Amino acid sequence: MGQDGGFVVGELDTSRPHPARIYDYLLGGKDNYEVDQRAGDQLAAAAPEVRVGLRANRAFLRRAVRYVVGSGVRQILDIGTGLPTSPNVHEIAHERAADVRVAYVDNDPIVAAHANALLSSSGTTSVVLADVRDPLAVVNHPEVRRNLDFDRPVALLLVAVLHFLTDAEEPGRVVATLRDALPAGSFLVLSHATGDFADRSAAQAVYSRATASLNLRSRAEIERFFDGFDLVEPGLAQVPFWRPDGPPPPGSREIGFYGGVARKPL
């Protein structure tokens, strides 16, 4: 563990639940440990809509990737990618354009190992072990720079990641640093957990025993992450209601995830 109570890049800790592995378990994956399963069950008990919420968040990710690729972007930087859940970002993107390049970034070595194994045959994707808390190290990582050209627009994905940063870790500064590294015409795709629709203190307590805490934020607080970008319609919305391609799932009004897509002005 780092001195700030977080965990350092490359440190493998299977004694405590990890957010990516909890998500994997709740989405029906197999890349998790008993400690993650217990935490996932506790989270589902504390927030009964969590499974439908996570599925809705993944569906938002799919629609957002299709949108940015449809808008002409051919490069994606996915930070906090989590364990591979098919369809992955590169698979979604390649349905629209085969030449899209994707750099995946995560700070869990288990995530990186699984992603590398899945992506080893693809020349248009790369996997980097790095931490969003050090955004300059992410954008200046040699493998990121090898795969992505920062002279051309990039779609930055921060999907269900910033709520694992405390206020002391300055998520606003993190996003601003990443924004300033992106060229004009780039996109930000962001989703974030909120307590606007229900008291989720019990869910936060589950993460207090994990490798990263859950920091719920209000709509106004999340909107500030888009400073310096122009939100595309419909703006920041609960994830099932961001450009839905079908009827929202039952219980969507209670889903505690906001999502939005925005473009850096030309």
Side-chain angles (χ1 to χ4, degrees):
M1 285 181 58
Q3 292 180 343
D4 61 357
F7 51 99
V8 297
V9 173
E11 179 182 323
L12 182 57
D13 184 356
T14 59
S15 67
R16 293 187 296 159
H18 185 283
R21 301 194 300 264
I22 295 172
Y23 274 27
D24 177 72
Y25 169 66
L26 290 171
L27 288 169
K30 297 183 174 122
D31 297 315
N32 49 74
Y33 297 93
E34 186 177 349
V35 66
D36 307 304
Q37 296 161 17
R38 286 199 303 270
D41 290 340
Q42 292 165 359
L43 188 60
E49 81 288 354
V50 65
R51 282 189 171 89
V52 68
L54 292 181
R55 288 194 293 269
N57 185 64
R58 290 294 303 183
F60 160 75
L61 170 65
R62 291 194 293 271
R63 297 193 304 275
V65 169
R66 290 179 189 129
Y67 176 83
V68 297
V69 173
S71 299
V73 170
R74 294 295 179 266
Q75 305 185 107
I76 297 175
L77 177 59
D78 182 6
I79 302 180
T81 181
L83 284 153
T85 301
S86 189
N88 295 291
V89 166
H90 70 284
E91 293 171 325
I92 301 163
H94 290 165
E95 290 173 0
R96 293 293 176 95
D99 59 338
V100 177
R101 308 186 70 84
V102 179
Y104 292 105
V105 179
D106 205 280
N107 66 353
D108 182 3
I110 292 178
V111 170
H114 280 280
N116 267 314
L118 285 176
L119 304 176
S120 58
S121 61
S122 175
T124 59
T125 59
S126 58
V127 182
V128 171
L129 193 60
D131 198 310
V132 71
R133 296 175 184 88
D134 189 354
L136 286 178
V138 172
V139 296
N140 291 324
H141 193 287
E143 187 64 13
V144 171
R145 289 285 171 171
R146 180 196 68 76
N147 200 21
L148 305 182
D149 178 2
F150 280 78
D151 290 327
R152 297 188 296 121
V154 175
L156 168 65
L157 273 52
L158 292 171
V159 175
V161 63
L162 291 182
H163 49 237
F164 295 119
L165 271 62
T166 65
D167 289 345
E169 290 168 324
E170 300 180 289
R173 173 193 58 81
V174 167
V175 179
T177 301
L178 293 167
R179 177 199 65 213
D180 292 347
L182 299 175
S186 293
F187 283 90
L188 170 63
V189 176
L190 184 150
S191 69
H192 194 295
T194 183
D196 282 359
F197 307 103
D199 178 2
R200 288 295 171 240
S201 54
Q204 288 180 288
V206 174
Y207 281 99
S208 70
R209 299 182 289 275
T211 55
S213 61
L214 179 63
N215 304 276
L216 304 177
R217 295 184 173 95
S218 68
R219 178 191 179 95
E221 290 173 312
I222 297 166
E223 277 187 322
R224 284 198 284 273
F225 293 134
F226 291 95
D227 287 353
F229 292 92
D230 294 329
L231 276 160
V232 303
E233 290 295 330
L236 188 66
Q238 283 173 276
V239 287
F241 304 109
W242 191 90
R243 295 180 177 243
D245 51 12
S252 289
R253 294 287 175 191
E254 288 75 49
I255 288 174
F257 269 101
Y258 284 117
V261 177
R263 193 168 198 177
K264 187 172 179 179
L266 294 167

